[in-house]
Amino acid sequence: AQRVTQPEKLLSVFKGAPVELKCNYSYSGSPELFWYVQYSRQRLQLLLRHISRESIKGFTADLNKGETSFHLKKPFAQEEDSAMYYCALISYNTDKLIFGTGTRLQVFP
Amino acid sequence: NAGVTQTPKFQVLKTGQSMTLQCAQDMNHNSMYWYRQDPGMGLRLIYYSASEGTTDKGEVPNGYNVSRLNKREFSLRLESAAPSQTSVYFCAGGQTQETQYFGPGTRLLVL
């Protein structure tokens, strides 16, 4: 079965601390994985995708096939990073996005 | 260029009432989607439309109907609302799966 698991509902850190938002997946083959972000009172938007291997707003995510993980990391959290983060993959049989349950990141000053 | 817009922003319904959630996009996307967002459940696909005039069921279609009358608009209808349909509904449009642009959402409360 294809599944995205985000084990943490809430992650709270202080400004300047490192952040790691966990995402594990279940998938047969090579998945296409993404991180979406939803800031307060804003719409959901794509943050980054694993195929582009990019860093957006200081965030990076590396696909680890051995651990079936795609954790989102940032070395120094900022208050403006506070948001809801969703990990997602594209289903190989429906070709549609499957989202995780989301993790709310709170960055305190 | 508004992107993806949704109306209404908020709605309160009584059980059994019907309503239509409207979504429009001005980005010339072929595909449009309706999701619901629930605490602890993430976003789940209700229906999608790969092109004008076509619609298909997603993960949680029961209790909903959709209509893609033209390329710009994709509406979601609740014929007989139930409390279990209390949720935040997001419409999205995109040319590819990963480049979906989401609307601002509609908060629906069914009493």
Side-chain angles (χ1 to χ4, degrees), chain A:
Chain A
Q2 301 164 83
R3 188 182 304 119
V4 178
T5 302
Q6 294 180 251
E8 303 147 324
K9 286 186 179 180
L10 174 66
L11 182 63
S12 299
V13 301
F14 286 101
K15 177 182 174 181
V19 168
E20 182 178 73
L21 295 148
K22 291 183 167 47
C23 173
N24 290 90
Y25 65 89
S26 172
Y27 192 90
S28 298
S30 297
E32 289 186 66
L33 285 152
F34 311 88
W35 276 99
Y36 283 81
V37 61
Q38 186 178 24
Y39 300 102
S40 179
R41 303 184 194 284
Q42 294 188 30
R43 61 192 71 194
L44 192 69
Q45 56 187 293
L46 179 66
L47 180 63
L48 56 80
R49 65 196 79 180
H50 90 272
I51 57 172
S52 58
R53 304 181 68 83
E54 56 199 346
S55 173
I56 303 294
K57 299 184 179 183
F59 284 98
T60 59
D62 292 318
L63 178 60
N64 186 323
K65 291 185 178 181
E67 296 182 358
T68 60
S69 68
F70 187 55
H71 302 328
L72 184 68
K73 302 178 183 180
K74 185 170 183 177
F76 307 103
Q78 303 299 314
E79 289 179 69
E80 55 265 29
D81 296 328
S82 296
M84 193 75 178
Y85 291 81
Y86 290 96
C87 184
L89 61 76
I90 293 181
S91 165
Y92 58 75
N93 56 342
T94 68
D95 197 33
K96 297 296 173 286
L97 283 168
I98 296 175
F99 286 89
T101 52
T103 298
R104 180 167 298 282
L105 174 64
Q106 289 182 331
V107 182
F108 295 109

Side-chain angles (χ1 to χ4, degrees), chain B:
Chain B
N1 189 339
V4 179
T5 58
Q6 292 181 234
T7 55
K9 290 185 179 180
F10 305 98
Q11 184 70 50
V12 179
L13 293 177
K14 294 181 179 178
T15 297
Q17 286 185 316
S18 63
M19 78 160 295
T20 300
L21 282 67
Q22 304 288 352
C23 174
Q25 53 104 358
D26 59 5
M27 306 176 82
N28 205 35
H29 293 308
N30 287 322
S31 298
M32 296 185 74
Y33 310 83
W34 274 106
Y35 295 88
R36 59 178 290 172
Q37 182 188 41
D38 301 291
M41 304 288 283
L43 275 81
R44 293 179 292 169
L45 183 64
I46 305 171
Y47 270 94
Y48 65 96
S49 169
S51 62
E52 179 182 346
T54 68
T55 61
D56 286 289
K57 295 179 180 179
E59 183 184 352
V60 287
N62 292 343
Y64 305 95
N65 286 301
V66 289
S67 178
R68 182 85 182 272
L69 294 176
N70 53 59
K71 195 170 187 178
R72 287 190 66 249
E73 298 169 301
F74 188 37
S75 61
L76 179 72
R77 183 160 178 83
L78 288 70
E79 289 291 349
S80 179
S84 61
Q85 294 178 303
T86 293
S87 187
V88 181
Y89 292 86
F90 287 97
C91 176
Q95 294 295 91
T96 61
Q97 275 300 299
E98 60 267 29
T99 57
Q100 290 186 38
Y101 291 89
F102 286 81
T106 295
R107 292 184 176 274
L108 177 65
L109 173 63
V110 183
L111 302 174

